Amino acid sequence: MSVLKLGLPAGSLQEATADLFRKAGYKITFPSRSYYPVIDDPELHCTLIRAQEMGRYVADGSLDCGLTGHDWIVESGSHVTELAELVFSKVSRRPVKWVLAVPNDSDIHGPKDLQGKRIATEVVNITKSWLAGHGVAAQVEFSWGATEVKPPKFADAIVEVTETGNSLRANNLRIVDTLLTSTTRFVANPQAALDPWKRQKMDDLLLMLRGAMAAEGKVGLMMNVRKADLAHVLNKLPALKNPTISPLADQEWVAVNTIIDEDTVRHIIPQLKAAGASGIVEYPLTKIID
């Protein structure tokens, strides 16, 4: 039996990734002290790998494909084939940013002020490339963690990842510039991407993952509407696309089916009722496949 070797990111993205897979229809569990998650698809073999290393193992063929951040692909310089962008993270759906941050009272206000300074970061290569682009020479040191506490005693500035900036502000740091914006990517080994069976398996997996992401925050609405009230009811619907309108046995009535944002339902249903809709049914969505 053919098997696709799939790398899942360990660490901060692990639970968010597992949750996405579950919504996509895959039952995935993480046995204690094991780096091999169990998934209910015999054609998938999963391995937990730190996102920082994912690109390297996908590039050398140890894994056929995997999920990791664009930032770690850039940092490692790995030669992989990017098949999809999957915008999700441990906190929100917004991309993460690698930013240059300094103490609030620092005299560093731009790239040129970093000349001769010391910078602590986990993304040494990204930082060095950014500095070179600005023609600035500075000392870049690898940080093993707790980077926010490094300045001003151990570094003049840091390059750190953030989604909201809350942690930086809590440590009395201000953002000077953004070096890189990153989202999660589904990447493949170039040779694996050319293999017909493996590529089809990857495409099928991505179809389900994208469908699960598209359904987040959406619900379906069904209702019956008199034809005489149809225009008024449709005017109240902020549809994902044009609503589906189907005839009913009673020729004076039609069925309307649509998809809307979940957080608007409580406002829209009373308006639909007042506009003439009846038999209104709200139902959850697990996937939206275009």
Side-chain angles (χ1 to χ4, degrees):
M1 181 179 64
S2 299
V3 174
L4 186 72
K5 297 175 292 184
L6 171 66
L8 300 178
S12 63
L13 281 176
Q14 180 175 324
E15 283 306 317
T17 301
D19 184 56
L20 177 62
F21 270 73
R22 293 184 189 111
K23 291 176 179 176
Y26 297 89
K27 183 179 180 182
I28 185 168
T29 56
F30 298 93
S32 178
R33 300 180 182 276
S34 173
Y35 288 91
Y36 300 100
V38 177
I39 191 167
D40 64 342
D41 184 338
E43 294 178 342
L44 291 175
H45 181 271
C46 300
T47 304
L48 278 178
I49 296 290
R50 289 187 62 83
Q52 294 91 326
E53 300 178 295
M54 189 72 72
R56 175 157 53 96
Y57 291 122
V58 170
D60 70 15
S62 299
L63 296 168
D64 294 317
C65 53
L67 287 83
T68 189
H70 172 65
D71 45 1
W72 299 117
I73 298 299
V74 175
E75 176 67 12
S76 66
S78 300
H79 178 57
V80 296
T81 300
E82 182 180 314
L83 298 185
E85 178 182 29
L86 302 173
V87 185
F88 75 102
S89 63
K90 62 180 178 178
V91 174
S92 68
R93 291 292 183 238
R94 64 168 65 93
V96 299
K97 295 181 179 181
W98 285 92
V99 299
L100 176 75
V102 298
N104 288 327
D105 59 357
S106 172
D107 59 0
I108 296 173
H109 297 281
K112 299 301 182 182
D113 299 327
L114 293 166
Q115 183 69 33
K117 302 293 186 180
R118 182 165 56 172
I119 305 170
T121 184
E122 194 175 352
V123 287
V124 172
N125 293 329
I126 289 173
T127 303
K128 286 182 176 179
S129 177
W130 180 79
L131 288 169
H134 288 280
V136 174
Q139 181 182 349
V140 182
E141 299 178 344
F142 180 79
S143 174
W144 290 94
T147 307
E148 295 98 330
V149 305
K150 300 292 175 70
K153 186 175 181 180
F154 302 107
D156 300 294
I158 64 171
V159 172
E160 180 65 325
V161 67
T162 184
E163 289 188 54
T164 64
N166 291 337
S167 179
L168 295 173
R169 287 188 289 272
N171 285 278
N172 298 312
L173 299 172
R174 59 178 168 83
I175 296 174
V176 175
D177 205 348
T178 298
L179 280 68
L180 180 74
T181 299
S182 178
T183 55
T184 303
R185 310 295 170 94
F186 189 100
V187 297
N189 173 272
Q191 292 303 312
L194 295 175
D195 179 279
W197 184 88
K198 291 183 179 181
R199 181 56 182 264
Q200 187 62 56
K201 188 68 177 178
M202 289 185 242
D203 288 344
D204 292 347
L205 175 58
L206 281 171
L207 179 69
M208 303 308 288
L209 293 175
R210 285 169 162 160
M213 291 180 64
E216 287 195 351
K218 305 287 185 181
V219 295
L221 278 185
M222 295 188 298
M223 68 205 77
N224 296 331
V225 183
R226 288 185 184 274
K227 289 182 178 179
D229 297 323
L230 184 59
H232 195 194
V233 169
L234 294 181
N235 190 48
K236 303 295 182 183
L237 287 175
L240 180 67
K241 289 185 177 178
N242 291 331
T244 299
I245 302 172
S246 306
L248 295 176
D250 186 334
Q251 296 184 359
E252 296 300 315
W253 290 75
V254 293
V256 177
N257 198 334
T258 191
I259 297 171
I260 65 173
D261 292 329
E262 186 176 18
D263 59 5
T264 66
V265 171
R266 63 183 183 271
H267 304 296
I268 290 176
I269 287 181
Q271 296 178 35
L272 294 173
K273 180 67 174 176
S278 65
I280 302 171
V281 177
E282 175 190 342
Y283 57 93
L285 299 174
T286 57
K287 302 172 193 67
I288 299 175
I289 308 295
D290 286 328

